[in-house]
Amino acid sequence: MNMREIDQREIYGIRWHDNPLLLAREVVIASTYGKAAIATYNGKPCGIMGISPMWPGVWSVWSFGTDDWSKAVLELSRYGKKVLEPFVRVRGAHRVQCESRIDHHEAHRWLQAMGAKADGILQGYGRDGSDYLMFSWSKDYNVLFKTPKDARAEAGPGAS
């Protein structure tokens, strides 16, 4: 109900609806097939991250939040690395993917910091004709998820 506007544009842009109650239902259903966690700040939900199967070996990862998202991003990054990565590995994942609206630059930076590679542009992918980027992790990348700390360590001294 209190999702950031950029997350609303991204998520509802690839849904049949703009209804937060239907989205909550979809998230609950998706997480029953996979796994998800809600991060809180001052006792209120501020972010969620989850993963659900698409077909054998391929999983979809998703995340969104409120205006307090920045308070949850590190916790959710760690959750991805420590919980979601081993969860899908033991289930035979060879690919994890995520679609992100072309103008959601913050999401793109986070996905790349988490080790995702940009596969390419999905032209006209959104229901309004907007472009999306496909990001993915592959077993060939060695790890499926990185925490921001992992990404900074790989980048070397002076990286932010």
Side-chain angles (χ1 to χ4, degrees), residues 4-7 9-10 46 63-74 76-77 98 100-114 133 135 148:
R4 298 185 301 175
E5 200 229 300
I6 187 70
D7 289 347
R9 277 198 319 270
E10 181 177 75
C46 63
S63 188
F64 53 90
T66 68
D67 288 337
D68 286 325
W69 166 257
S70 63
K71 314 283 192 311
V73 70
L74 187 56
L76 291 174
S77 298
C98 177
S100 182
R101 191 176 160 106
I102 197 84
D103 60 354
H104 198 336
H105 304 292
E106 180 183 3
H108 305 165
R109 285 189 302 272
W110 183 54
L111 289 164
Q112 290 170 327
M114 292 283 292
L133 287 171
F135 287 88

Side-chain angles (χ1 to χ4, degrees), residues 6-82:
I6 187 70
D7 289 347
Q8 289 179 34
R9 277 198 319 270
E10 181 177 75
I11 292 167
Y12 294 134
I14 53 175
R15 295 280 183 291
W16 290 93
H17 62 80
D18 292 341
N19 186 322
L21 297 176
L22 286 178
L23 179 62
R25 181 177 181 263
E26 291 169 6
V27 166
V28 168
I29 291 169
S31 63
T32 62
Y33 292 105
K35 199 164 198 62
I38 297 171
T40 61
Y41 177 71
N42 285 338
K44 294 182 182 177
C46 63
I48 186 169
M49 183 178 189
I51 198 160
S52 51
M54 298 182 71
W55 48 81
V58 179
W59 291 70
S60 176
V61 67
W62 38 269
S63 188
F64 53 90
T66 68
D67 288 337
D68 286 325
W69 166 257
S70 63
K71 314 283 192 311
V73 70
L74 187 56
E75 179 182 345
L76 291 174
S77 298
R78 288 180 180 137
Y79 175 76
K81 175 69 176 165
K82 293 180 181 180

Side-chain angles (χ1 to χ4, degrees), residues 145-156:
F145 297 110
K146 296 178 184 178
T147 63
K149 181 181 174 184
D150 295 332
R152 284 192 304 269
E154 280 187 15

